Amino acid sequence: MLSAFARAFQTPDLRKKLLFTLGIMVLFRAGAHIPVPGVNFVAVNQCLQDKPGGLFALVNLFSGNALLQLTIFALGIMPYITASIILQLLTVVIPRLEALKKEGQAGTAKITQYTRYLTIALAVLQGTGIVATASSGALFSGCAYADQVVPDQSVFRIATMVITMTAGTTVIMWLGELITDRGIGNGMSILIFTSIAAGFPGSMWAIKQSGTIGGGWVEFFAVIAVGIVVVGLVIFVEQAQRRIPVQYAKRMIGRKAFGGTSTYIPLKVNQAGVIPVIFASSLLYIPALVVQLTNSQAGWAAWIRTNFVKGDHPVYMITYFVLIVFFAFFYVAISFNPEEVADNMKKYGGFIPGIRAGRPTAEYLNYVLTRITWPGSLYLGLIALIPMIALVAFGQQTNFPFGGTSVLIVVGVGLETVKQIESQLQQRNYEGFLR
């Protein structure tokens, strides 16, 4: 990885792209520290020192800790991620969107435009919810200064805060597209990577300061060792794939023969990526959020407070694991269509050796996909439980930096970015073809 970056900086064109990407990342992190107008920043800092609970931990993770600081980039990239997932799900059930997806680049551009509109709408909804939660003091429940976070709760002030957060999300979306067009890698993924990686140093130092053995250094190096093992496991599984061989028969067009090539269909063990973890985390936040906003004292609310607020409870951990496995199969089922792949292969004269074209090919692909999704979903569940296990072992869930979602995203984006750098280096270096 380091050699790829070193060679990239020696290439003028790639060096400009890398510096441009780094500049956007710095600008993005600067915006994550500018408070929204109308927020009492002193009260926010006091509440952050009290280490509030992790009810909004997922959104706070993707915003680079900007959510709980109530900055202009407080919503982060989360509205865009939600909008992209919703459009991807709707593509399966709405024929119009499915037709646009098959139109190629023009259809993809139209779906991207719909995603932008939906992102702004979701940003308005989420911004309103966050501001309302902060105004009521529920954002920092248990903090003595929670009711002073938003001192002016007039309609004009609240509207200004919501508009500012929405504009911040729009700027983030624009910055991500700039990276995609003029930088290296996928812009949105790079910004998510930046948000998560920015919290690593602070979390590691907090673990050292809160440690009790050897001045905290034992816990510090123990967490680093666990992190190295987890990152190695994630890299191994993320790179693992089942390659299904495909052969294309020769076709005679006039007196010339075309085709006759051999290729393969790469089916990743973790075909769903980090999406199941996001789905499961979001779904588990809903009951606790409803109880917190309603402040109900009923029996069902007490049960939720006991079982679904703290991540170290066995009921929470088991439910979280089961939901991740379920959403892994669900997402793979809607994102990979064996019938469509089999029809395309049959259309262009392709076949899997030993398998007849058409329906038998679709059944075989579905069988293989189901078999490799089982280890992939179990792996996702185990990786996601690491911060909860850390809470039991070290009491460090709040500061544990190598959580399942964060490691999956950081490693995945890092690997994809390095692949793009290496591919562009190969386009500019023909030495290998001349040997």
Side-chain angles (χ1 to χ4, degrees):
M1 181 181 295
L2 294 177
S3 62
F5 277 101
R7 285 185 294 146
F9 270 101
Q10 294 174 1
T11 307
D13 186 26
L14 282 180
R15 183 169 61 247
K16 290 181 181 178
K17 290 184 176 182
L18 285 172
L19 292 176
F20 179 82
T21 302
L22 291 173
I24 296 294
M25 292 167 66
V26 171
L27 184 63
F28 173 64
R29 287 306 303 159
H33 292 85
I34 302 175
V36 172
V39 172
N40 185 347
F41 200 59
V42 176
V44 170
N45 285 334
Q46 290 290 341
C47 290
L48 289 177
Q49 290 177 4
D50 294 339
K51 297 181 180 179
L55 181 60
F56 301 96
L58 184 66
V59 183
N60 194 50
L61 174 70
F62 286 113
S63 66
N65 296 324
L67 171 65
L68 294 181
Q69 294 179 359
L70 293 175
T71 66
I72 60 174
F73 287 171
L75 298 179
I77 204 69
M78 199 63 180
Y80 183 85
I81 296 175
T82 307
S84 301
I85 294 173
I86 291 175
L87 261 296
Q88 195 167 4
L89 296 176
L90 291 179
T91 303
V92 183
V93 297
I94 298 180
R96 169 61 178 164
L97 293 177
E98 188 176 1
L100 284 175
K101 185 179 180 181
K102 295 180 180 179
E103 288 181 4
Q105 187 174 0
T108 303
K110 199 69 176 178
I111 293 177
T112 302
Q113 194 69 18
Y114 292 155
T115 305
R116 293 170 183 162
Y117 294 148
L118 184 58
T119 299
I120 295 175
L122 290 175
V124 172
L125 292 176
Q126 293 183 17
T128 304
I130 294 300
V131 172
T133 306
S135 302
S136 64
L139 185 63
F140 300 101
S141 58
C143 175
Y145 300 89
D147 56 345
Q148 303 176 20
V149 170
V150 185
D152 182 6
Q153 299 186 12
S154 62
V155 176
F156 175 78
R157 179 61 66 185
I158 297 298
T160 301
M161 295 175 67
V162 172
I163 292 173
T164 303
M165 288 185 178
T166 305
T169 299
T170 308
V171 171
I172 292 174
M173 187 166 52
W174 175 62
L175 293 177
E177 292 180 357
L178 282 179
I179 293 178
T180 303
D181 294 338
R182 301 172 56 184
I184 292 290
N186 181 280
M188 301 303 174
S189 300
I190 294 293
L191 293 183
I192 296 173
F193 173 91
T194 305
S195 298
I196 297 174
F200 275 22
S203 297
M204 292 300 300
W205 187 246
I207 288 175
K208 190 268 174 190
Q209 288 184 323
S210 62
T212 57
I213 306 175
W217 290 110
V218 174
E219 290 90 342
F220 180 83
F221 288 110
V223 170
I224 289 181
V226 172
I228 293 174
V229 173
V230 171
V231 170
L233 175 63
V234 170
I235 292 175
F236 177 77
V237 178
E238 290 297 317
Q239 298 286 79
Q241 58 182 222
R242 169 72 183 275
R243 297 182 176 183
I244 299 179
V246 178
Q247 293 184 355
Y248 286 90
K250 290 185 178 181
R251 293 181 298 171
M252 296 299 297
I253 301 179
R255 295 183 178 181
K256 294 184 178 181
F258 294 90
T261 59
S262 297
T263 183
Y264 59 87
I265 302 175
L267 296 180
K268 295 181 63 177
V269 173
N270 182 21
Q271 190 81 5
V274 76
I275 299 299
V277 181
I278 297 176
F279 276 10
S281 302
S282 303
L283 197 61
L284 280 179
Y285 284 142
I286 294 176
L289 183 61
V290 170
V291 171
Q292 189 175 31
L293 293 178
T294 59
N295 199 22
S296 175
Q297 302 299 325
W300 62 269
W303 188 85
I304 289 177
R305 288 191 184 96
T306 304
N307 299 286
F308 280 96
V309 173
K310 292 186 177 181
D312 60 339
H313 198 281
V315 174
Y316 185 97
M317 297 173 70
I318 293 173
T319 306
Y320 191 34
F321 184 85
V322 172
L323 284 175
I324 290 175
V325 173
F326 168 76
F327 281 122
F329 278 92
F330 174 77
Y331 188 77
V332 168
I334 65 172
S335 62
F336 186 89
N337 190 344
E339 288 80 9
E340 183 180 350
V341 175
D343 290 342
N344 289 335
M345 288 172 54
K346 185 177 180 180
K347 180 179 178 181
Y348 294 101
F351 63 94
I352 299 174
I355 307 295
R356 288 187 300 171
R359 184 175 180 82
T361 298
E363 293 177 350
Y364 176 76
L365 290 174
N366 186 56
Y367 168 74
V368 174
L369 194 62
T370 302
R371 288 188 63 188
I372 66 174
T373 301
W374 270 113
S377 62
L378 296 177
Y379 143 81
L380 279 178
L382 291 174
I383 290 293
L385 288 179
I386 285 177
M388 302 174 189
I389 297 173
L391 174 63
V392 177
F394 301 106
Q396 291 287 354
Q397 187 198 30
T398 303
N399 299 318
F400 193 75
F402 298 105
T405 309
S406 57
V407 172
L408 284 170
I409 293 176
V410 168
V411 173
V413 174
L415 290 174
E416 195 63 33
T417 304
V418 170
K419 285 181 181 178
Q420 290 200 21
I421 292 175
E422 289 182 343
S423 65
Q424 295 199 29
L425 284 173
Q426 290 177 359
Q427 293 176 6
R428 292 166 173 78
N429 186 7
Y430 302 98
E431 183 178 335
F433 297 99
L434 298 176
R435 286 180 177 174

